[in-house]
Amino acid sequence: MIEKFKKILEKENLQPRELAAKLGVQPSAISHILNGRNNPGVAILQSVMTAFPNINPEWLMLGKEPMYKNEKAIQRDLFNQEYSESSKIEISERLESDFSTKNNIQTTEPQTIIKEVVRTLPPKEILRIVVYYSDNTFQEFKS
């Protein structure tokens, strides 16, 4: 709960005393929550939901993303990972080096390495494709 209150302060750009005023509680109550001395009671949680109607109650009570009602949860997957440009270069160089060493390839040309990687991969067959739509329906295709 400490982290949630810290996140509210950060996202709403508030100081603890400003949050206390918005919730109608003593600044010491917020201080005790932020220091881990006390957990917020039902009255404080209700005050948060009243003062910040855009905060998702499920996030506040259960930790379910997203924090705000009107935003979508961040989906972490292979295609959403962000890397800095320097880490991309480092990863690429490491993969090329590892693959070249393991497969006894003398050249460092990317095309040659890619051709070797593809050549050494076992053949795969698509078994199922699932398409998810924005209205929470899906369609499944099987081979």
Side-chain angles (χ1 to χ4, degrees):
M1 200 53 80
I2 296 168
E3 293 306 314
K4 290 177 188 166
F5 272 76
K6 286 181 180 178
K7 194 165 186 176
I8 291 170
L9 290 171
E10 175 190 331
K11 293 285 188 177
E12 296 295 326
N13 199 25
L14 295 171
Q15 295 296 315
R17 60 181 156 60
E18 295 170 321
L19 178 61
K22 236 177 149 77
L23 300 181
V25 297
Q26 294 293 320
S28 60
I30 301 300
S31 175
H32 290 283
I33 292 168
L34 293 173
N35 292 325
R37 182 172 174 205
N38 295 342
N39 283 322
V42 174
I44 290 181
L45 294 175
Q46 286 175 331
S47 296
V48 169
M49 288 187 274
T50 303
F52 303 99
N54 58 336
I55 288 183
N56 181 358
E58 287 188 341
W59 172 81
L60 185 62
M61 301 297 294
L62 306 173
K64 285 187 174 181
E65 293 290 336
M67 177 180 176
Y68 292 105
K69 291 177 185 176
N70 60 352
E71 71 180 3
K72 294 186 177 198
I74 297 171
Q75 189 174 7
R76 305 248 183 244
D77 63 23
L78 176 63
F79 304 106
N80 283 338
Q81 295 183 17
E82 294 181 15
Y83 297 101
S84 69
E85 207 51 46
S86 63
S87 65
K88 286 179 187 176
I89 292 168
E90 181 184 321
I91 290 169
S92 174
E93 287 173 351
R94 192 169 356 121
L95 287 173
E96 285 178 14
S97 172
D98 290 351
F99 186 81
S100 297
T101 305
K102 193 184 292 180
N103 293 294
N104 229 2
I105 299 172
Q106 302 302 318
T107 180
T108 57
E109 291 181 39
Q111 293 85 0
T112 306
I113 293 172
I114 290 170
K115 285 176 184 174
E116 278 300 310
V117 168
V118 170
R119 190 180 66 74
T120 61
L121 290 175
K124 294 183 181 183
E125 181 181 327
I126 296 174
L127 299 177
R128 181 175 66 166
I129 297 174
V130 181
V131 178
Y132 294 96
Y133 299 99
S134 59
D135 64 352
N136 292 327
T137 61
F138 67 93
Q139 192 170 8
E140 186 174 1
F141 303 93
K142 292 184 180 181
S143 63

